[in-house]
Amino acid sequence: MSDILTKIIATKHEEIAAAMRAKPLAAIRTDAEARARAGDLRDFAGAIEAKIAAGHSAVIAEIKKASPSKGILRENFVPADIARSYEAGGAACLSVLTDRSYFQGATEFLQQARAACGLPVIRKDFIVDAYQVYEAAAMGADCVLLIVGALEWNQMLALEALAVELGLAVLVESHDSAELDAALTLQTSLIGINNRDLRSFNVSLSTTTDLLSRIPAGKRVITESGILGRDDVQHMRAHGVHSYLVGEAFMRAPDPGRALAELFAD
C-alpha cells in the first residue's frame, strides 16, 4: 500500500470512530435497512448495460470538488447543477466524492446530486468498514466502491456481501494483475481498472488494455482515470472497452455535461 493510501486509510478509521460516536452503528444500520425496504434504489449496473446496448459509451460522470494532487478543480461547485448537466449530456451514472479530508467531498453533495436527476449514484470514497456501507445506503447511494489495494480479501468479501444485502451495487477497483485476480473473486460484474498508480500517481491507459485478456466474459470493464481526449476514447473503443469513469476532464469545463457529450460523441 502506498504512503498516501496508508495515510488516507488511517484517516478513514479516525473518521469512522468519530461518526460512530455521533451516530452509533445500530442507528445507521436501522436507517440503511429502512431504505432497502423502501426500495428507493436505482439500477447502477443496469444503467451501464442499457447505454452500451443502445450503442453508446456508458459514462460514470464524476462530481469532485478537489483532489490531493491538484487542489480545487472547480470553484463554482454546485452538485445539483453538475448532476443535471451530466444527465443532459448523456451520462449513465454519477460518481460523487464524499471524502472530506482529501477531496473536500461531503455526504450532502451526493444527496443534492441524486435529488437533482434520475441517474444512479456511486459513493466514491475509501470504504474500509461496514459502517461506511450502511452510511452509503442511508445517504442515498445506489453503489459503493471497493478498492482492492485498500482492503484485505476477506474484508472485500464481507463488505460486498453487506452491500448486496442492502440492495447496493458494487464496483471493485484494481490497478494490476494481482489486484485484478482478487477483484475477480467477487460476485460483482463491475470491474474497475484504475489507470492511475496510487503509489506513484502516474497514469497510463495501457494499465487497462494490458489486463483485458485476464477478464472473463460476463464482467463489465470500467476504465478509470486518464480519459482526457477523443483519442483516449477511440483507443479504448478499439480494445472493446465501452464504460468509463471520468471526472477531472469535466470538472474544469464551464458546462460538464456538454464536455461529456463532446468527448464521447459517437
Side-chain angles (χ1 to χ4, degrees):
M1 193 181 295
S2 68
D3 290 343
I4 182 61
L5 191 54
T6 299
K7 184 179 178 181
I8 289 172
I9 298 308
T11 302
K12 283 294 132 187
H13 285 295
E14 294 172 359
E15 291 174 354
I16 293 162
M20 291 181 71
R21 289 192 293 271
K23 187 164 190 172
L25 177 61
I28 197 72
R29 181 193 293 128
T30 296
D31 290 349
E33 292 173 346
R35 178 175 176 237
R37 287 193 301 272
D40 177 31
L41 287 157
R42 299 171 185 170
D43 186 354
F44 193 90
I48 291 171
E49 295 308 317
K51 282 286 185 183
I52 295 171
H56 304 301
S57 295
V59 183
I60 304 169
E62 194 151 87
I63 296 177
K64 176 166 62 174
K65 184 176 182 179
S67 78
S69 58
K70 298 183 180 178
I72 297 291
L73 299 173
R74 189 177 188 85
E75 293 289 349
N76 181 29
F77 185 80
V78 183
D81 290 348
I82 298 168
R84 283 189 287 265
S85 178
Y86 277 153
E87 186 172 39
C93 304
L94 298 181
S95 168
V96 183
L97 267 291
T98 59
D99 173 79
R100 292 182 185 272
S101 298
Y102 298 91
F103 291 86
Q104 298 188 33
T107 296
E108 295 77 16
F109 295 165
L110 186 148
Q111 293 169 328
Q112 292 160 12
R114 191 177 188 274
C117 70
L119 301 179
V121 182
I122 184 171
R123 180 191 187 185
K124 186 81 174 292
D125 210 318
F126 298 86
I127 305 291
V128 295
D129 190 272
Y131 188 91
Q132 295 166 288
V133 179
Y134 286 120
E135 267 188 333
M139 74 175 64
D142 304 291
C143 182
V144 292
L145 175 71
L146 298 181
I147 301 173
V148 176
L151 296 164
E152 298 294 332
W153 180 72
N154 61 335
Q155 286 180 292
M156 282 198 304
L157 292 181
L159 292 171
E160 181 188 45
L162 176 57
V164 170
E165 180 183 325
L166 294 170
L168 303 177
V170 173
L171 169 59
V172 60
E173 176 184 298
S174 56
H175 175 73
D176 56 29
S177 57
E179 290 182 359
L180 178 60
D181 288 345
L184 291 172
T185 66
L186 271 62
Q187 296 177 28
T188 182
S189 63
L190 302 178
I191 305 297
I193 300 179
N194 195 341
N195 298 308
R196 177 175 287 111
D197 188 333
L198 292 178
R199 298 164 182 83
S200 67
F201 281 89
N202 292 331
V203 177
S204 172
L205 297 186
S206 64
T207 304
T208 292
T209 54
D210 288 351
L211 292 174
L212 289 177
S213 64
R214 302 174 64 92
I215 301 174
K219 299 291 187 179
R220 174 58 64 194
V221 177
I222 299 167
T223 188
E224 308 173 19
S225 303
I227 305 298
L228 302 175
R230 291 280 297 166
D231 288 347
D232 300 326
V233 175
Q234 294 301 333
H235 177 70
M236 286 299 168
R237 285 175 173 167
H239 285 84
V241 177
H242 301 288
S243 188
Y244 309 79
L245 193 154
V246 184
E248 290 183 16
F250 303 147
M251 283 295 90
R252 298 183 188 277
D255 184 336
R258 177 174 292 182
L260 186 158
E262 291 173 352
L263 181 59
F264 289 96
D266 298 321

